[in-house]
Amino acid sequence: MAVRIGARNTTGWKATISVAMSNYIESGSIIAIATSLSLWQAQFHVGDLQVGLLASLSANAFGAAAGAIIGGPLCDRYGRKFIYTYDLLLYMLGILLAVFAGSYGMLLVGFILTGIAVGAGVPASWTYIAEQAPADKRAAHVGTAQLAWSIGPMVGFALAIAAAPLGLLGSRLIFAHLFVVAAVVWWLRRGLPESTIWKDERAASGSANFFHGFTQLFSRRKNLTAMLFLFGVYALWNTVAGQAGIFQPRVYSATGVTSVTEQYGLQILVWGCTVAATYFGFMRFADRMSRRVLYAIGAALAIVAWAVLIYAPANLGTLLFFAVAWGISSGIGAQAFYGLWTSELFATRYRASAQGVLFLAARVMVGLLSIWFPLLLSDIGLRALGGLILGLLALSFLIGTIWAPNTRGKTLEEIEAERHGTVTSLTGTARTVDEHEERQRSLSGQVRGARDERMPR
């Protein structure tokens, strides 16, 4: 009876929030790792390269990439709710390994499992939220995922300050709190209904094999150009943000801030500004004003923030300016728009697969740099890395500003019809052009097969 009651209640904003918590769990994992790396390093007596592997194979990079490329197609094949039945169980297993890790290998396995779990869950969450949201409030609902993602680090760094006197035990307790959150969210999600848009599309098109979405995703030019656009918007920006998320305390050390409490305090300010900008900026205005303009403001502010941190004199004013500017830019910048645009620019039958491919690409880039970032930061310093950081942010700014799509206020069905066109089949069923073409190819193959069978041998 309790489960059935949950099923009736987990709808609307409650459903949006429970799904958006994937992002809290992801970012919370990244910050739990970030604030504990030096402690694990001292506990297990490993070098900077092993630390880089912990970061790159976790929820921050390769682990999440692997989960996304598996979870996206599964989400399109079996439904959005399918992912929510299992991903957090895997996540909780990984977190428990981290809580009780007695060796470097055990810790590494735990980080990999949590990465795979959040990689599968985050694309599914963006897809589900966008598909269930009203057309005129889609950005507000999708922004909830960004809001949850921003609250995770703010809470994580605050917990790190509170638990600092406990040393490694404090870090284990931070991981334990993520286990509790994941368990509660998993229970709430048991009452989620399946995405209505996905059910309607599946009823019209029938079942498909695991790679069905990939075949269609890579067979049309509009999909390829959309993926290139979103890669430019998100993956380039996220290569910088990924290092900031997990190595920012080390970046602060490179500028002269060696107090762990001060480093974490700056990060709380960063993420507090991100939370405020997400709620009062993206969620309030992305459904009302030009998204191109809003994106450009956030992306430009990110460039200014990092330029000041890298090249301006290292003092309190510089650090406070960076924290506020980078926090605000992240709230109305690339990640929030990526979650929105990725859900809008792809058809329902491969929407989650597209998210998986793009999330994979973004996290692979983060992972490749994460392996070497601690070494580079130690060897050549922040100023020498400045050209790479600012170059990636500048490219993301230009790509998103120039090619921002005009999708505001339109339903996902309207956007899909505009991008892919519609035709009417002989049975009177409306199909998109690529569905129609695939159907024609399938029928042609069946005719050729029947003709071959009739030929004398």
Side-chain angles (χ1 to χ4, degrees):
M1 177 64 71
V3 172
R4 289 197 295 272
I5 291 174
R8 288 197 297 268
N9 290 337
T10 314
T11 56
W13 275 105
K14 185 177 180 180
T16 295
I17 293 170
S18 68
V19 173
M21 287 302 291
S22 290
N23 293 265
Y24 176 91
I25 289 167
E26 182 204 12
S27 62
S29 302
I30 294 171
I31 302 310
I33 295 169
T35 56
S36 63
L37 279 179
S38 61
L39 298 172
W40 296 118
Q41 186 174 13
Q43 175 71 18
F44 299 132
H45 308 291
V46 296
D48 284 341
L49 182 58
Q50 285 75 22
V51 171
L53 285 173
L54 285 174
S56 64
L57 296 177
S58 68
N60 197 48
F62 290 129
I69 202 63
I70 296 170
L74 286 174
C75 191
D76 285 331
R77 176 66 178 84
Y78 296 107
R80 306 347 185 178
K81 187 178 177 180
F82 173 83
I83 296 297
Y84 300 136
T85 305
Y86 302 105
D87 69 323
L88 290 184
L89 297 177
L90 181 62
Y91 178 87
M92 287 187 281
L93 173 61
I95 287 294
L96 283 179
L97 289 176
V99 171
F100 297 106
S103 67
Y104 176 82
M106 185 176 177
L107 181 68
L108 183 62
V109 171
F111 282 8
I112 292 172
L113 292 181
T114 58
I116 291 172
V118 299
V122 169
S125 73
W126 283 328
T127 299
Y128 184 91
I129 292 171
E131 289 180 345
Q132 297 293 88
D136 61 343
K137 295 181 180 178
R138 190 161 50 245
H141 280 257
V142 171
T144 306
Q146 175 69 11
L147 192 68
W149 203 98
S150 306
I151 292 173
M154 186 172 66
V155 173
F157 281 112
L159 290 176
I161 292 175
L166 299 176
L168 187 58
L169 174 61
S171 294
R172 294 181 191 271
L173 292 175
I174 293 172
F175 281 102
H177 114 274
L178 291 171
F179 177 89
V180 174
V181 172
V184 172
V185 173
W186 178 81
W187 178 261
L188 288 174
R189 286 179 179 176
R190 294 178 57 168
L192 283 173
E194 182 55 87
S195 165
T196 303
I197 293 177
W198 182 85
K199 288 195 298 183
D200 291 345
E201 191 280 330
R202 180 45 55 94
S205 63
S207 62
N209 62 47
F210 182 81
F211 295 103
H212 180 73
F214 283 117
T215 302
Q216 295 195 340
L217 184 61
F218 289 100
S219 63
R220 293 186 64 81
R221 183 177 179 180
K222 285 188 176 181
N223 290 332
L224 294 175
T225 55
M227 284 194 291
L228 288 173
F229 164 73
L230 289 162
F231 179 88
V233 166
Y234 182 61
L236 300 181
W237 173 87
N238 193 59
T239 303
V240 176
Q243 311 313 314
I246 203 161
F247 293 125
Q248 192 66 34
R250 296 187 178 217
V251 173
Y252 290 142
S253 292
T255 65
V257 180
T258 57
S259 166
V260 172
T261 301
E262 291 177 2
Q263 292 171 357
Y264 293 172
L266 284 169
Q267 287 300 88
I268 292 173
L269 177 58
V270 168
W271 291 108
C273 291
T274 303
V275 169
T278 300
Y279 183 77
F280 294 106
F282 185 82
M283 294 177 67
R284 294 291 184 93
F285 292 103
D287 287 312
R288 302 179 184 179
M289 64 175 287
S290 168
R291 291 175 176 175
R292 187 191 308 275
V293 172
L294 189 60
Y295 174 86
I297 293 171
L301 191 56
I303 297 172
V304 173
W306 277 94
V308 169
L309 179 67
I310 294 167
Y311 300 115
N315 54 46
L316 180 60
T318 297
L319 293 171
L320 290 176
F321 177 86
F322 169 80
V324 173
W326 176 241
I328 293 173
S329 72
S330 298
I332 58 173
Q335 182 161 285
F337 277 101
Y338 165 79
L340 181 63
W341 285 335
T342 308
S343 298
E344 292 177 339
L345 296 183
F346 298 100
T348 301
R349 62 197 169 281
Y350 47 75
R351 182 171 291 128
S353 295
Q355 296 243 21
V357 170
L358 288 163
F359 204 69
L360 166 73
R363 290 313 171 99
V364 165
M365 287 189 65
V366 171
L368 291 174
L369 186 54
S370 293
I371 294 174
W372 303 107
F373 192 83
L375 293 173
L376 292 172
L377 195 60
S378 299
D379 292 344
I380 66 175
L382 183 60
R383 280 181 175 253
L385 285 170
L388 174 63
I389 291 171
L390 296 179
L392 291 169
L393 293 175
L395 284 174
S396 177
F397 164 77
L398 291 173
I399 293 169
T401 302
I402 294 172
W403 288 290
N406 181 22
T407 51
R408 180 167 56 92
K410 301 175 183 177
T411 66
L412 293 179
E413 293 88 346
E414 289 171 342
I415 297 169
E416 185 171 341
E418 289 178 3
R419 288 183 55 77
H420 301 281
T422 56
V423 295
T424 303
S425 67
L426 294 176
T427 61
T429 303
R431 293 181 178 272
T432 60
V433 168
D434 47 344
E435 283 179 316
H436 179 70
E437 290 176 350
E438 183 184 13
R439 175 65 174 166
Q440 292 299 106
R441 287 194 297 270
S442 176
L443 290 174
S444 297
Q446 293 173 16
V447 170
R448 285 195 300 271
R451 186 185 301 120
D452 290 342
E453 289 181 0
R454 293 195 300 268
M455 292 178 64
R457 300 183 182 277

mmCIF file of all heavy atoms in Angstrom, residues 11 15 30 105 155 164 261 298 396 408:
data_model
loop_
_atom_site.group_PDB
_atom_site.id
_atom_site.type_symbol
_atom_site.label_atom_id
_atom_site.label_comp_id
_atom_site.label_asym_id
_atom_site.label_seq_id
_atom_site.Cartn_x
_atom_site.Cartn_y
_atom_site.Cartn_z
ATOM 1 N N THR A 11 4.816 12.997 -8.546
ATOM 2 C CA THR A 11 4.529 13.635 -9.828
ATOM 3 C C THR A 11 4.828 15.129 -9.707
ATOM 4 O O THR A 11 5.118 15.639 -8.626
ATOM 5 C CB THR A 11 3.044 13.442 -10.223
ATOM 6 O OG1 THR A 11 2.212 13.956 -9.177
ATOM 7 C CG2 THR A 11 2.728 11.971 -10.455
ATOM 8 N N ALA A 15 8.314 15.025 -8.520
ATOM 9 C CA ALA A 15 9.027 14.118 -9.424
ATOM 10 C C ALA A 15 10.280 14.788 -9.973
ATOM 11 O O ALA A 15 11.347 14.177 -10.052
ATOM 12 C CB ALA A 15 8.108 13.684 -10.565
ATOM 13 N N ILE A 30 31.804 14.234 -6.379
ATOM 14 C CA ILE A 30 33.009 14.914 -6.849
ATOM 15 C C ILE A 30 33.660 15.716 -5.721
ATOM 16 O O ILE A 30 34.885 15.690 -5.530
ATOM 17 C CB ILE A 30 32.677 15.819 -8.048
ATOM 18 C CG1 ILE A 30 32.248 14.963 -9.251
ATOM 19 C CG2 ILE A 30 33.870 16.704 -8.420
ATOM 20 C CD1 ILE A 30 31.704 15.770 -10.409
ATOM 21 N N GLY A 105 43.332 0.158 -3.779
ATOM 22 C CA GLY A 105 42.549 -0.576 -4.771
ATOM 23 C C GLY A 105 41.067 -0.580 -4.454
ATOM 24 O O GLY A 105 40.229 -0.410 -5.348
ATOM 25 N N VAL A 155 27.083 22.209 -0.021
ATOM 26 C CA VAL A 155 26.930 21.384 1.182
ATOM 27 C C VAL A 155 28.198 20.585 1.445
ATOM 28 O O VAL A 155 28.658 20.476 2.590
ATOM 29 C CB VAL A 155 25.721 20.444 1.031
ATOM 30 C CG1 VAL A 155 25.660 19.454 2.199
ATOM 31 C CG2 VAL A 155 24.428 21.240 0.946
ATOM 32 N N ALA A 164 36.702 18.609 9.230
ATOM 33 C CA ALA A 164 38.164 18.694 9.097
ATOM 34 C C ALA A 164 38.908 18.207 10.339
ATOM 35 O O ALA A 164 39.934 17.510 10.218
ATOM 36 C CB ALA A 164 38.576 20.122 8.758
ATOM 37 N N THR A 261 40.717 25.645 5.320
ATOM 38 C CA THR A 261 39.442 26.282 5.672
ATOM 39 C C THR A 261 39.134 27.448 4.733
ATOM 40 O O THR A 261 37.995 27.613 4.281
ATOM 41 C CB THR A 261 39.473 26.778 7.124
ATOM 42 O OG1 THR A 261 39.710 25.666 8.000
ATOM 43 C CG2 THR A 261 38.161 27.433 7.494
ATOM 44 N N GLY A 298 26.746 34.590 -19.315
ATOM 45 C CA GLY A 298 27.388 33.616 -18.440
ATOM 46 C C GLY A 298 28.742 33.167 -18.955
ATOM 47 O O GLY A 298 29.718 33.066 -18.198
ATOM 48 N N SER A 396 34.028 27.836 -26.177
ATOM 49 C CA SER A 396 32.678 27.524 -25.711
ATOM 50 C C SER A 396 31.770 28.748 -25.821
ATOM 51 O O SER A 396 30.603 28.644 -26.222
ATOM 52 C CB SER A 396 32.731 27.027 -24.267
ATOM 53 O OG SER A 396 31.445 26.784 -23.764
ATOM 54 N N ARG A 408 12.833 28.299 -27.546
ATOM 55 C CA ARG A 408 12.102 28.764 -26.357
ATOM 56 C C ARG A 408 10.596 28.772 -26.596
ATOM 57 O O ARG A 408 10.116 29.262 -27.615
ATOM 58 C CB ARG A 408 12.580 30.173 -25.981
ATOM 59 C CG ARG A 408 11.895 30.765 -24.763
ATOM 60 C CD ARG A 408 12.643 32.004 -24.276
ATOM 61 N NE ARG A 408 12.785 33.003 -25.331
ATOM 62 C CZ ARG A 408 11.911 33.998 -25.528
ATOM 63 N NH1 ARG A 408 10.847 34.100 -24.749
ATOM 64 N NH2 ARG A 408 12.107 34.874 -26.486
#
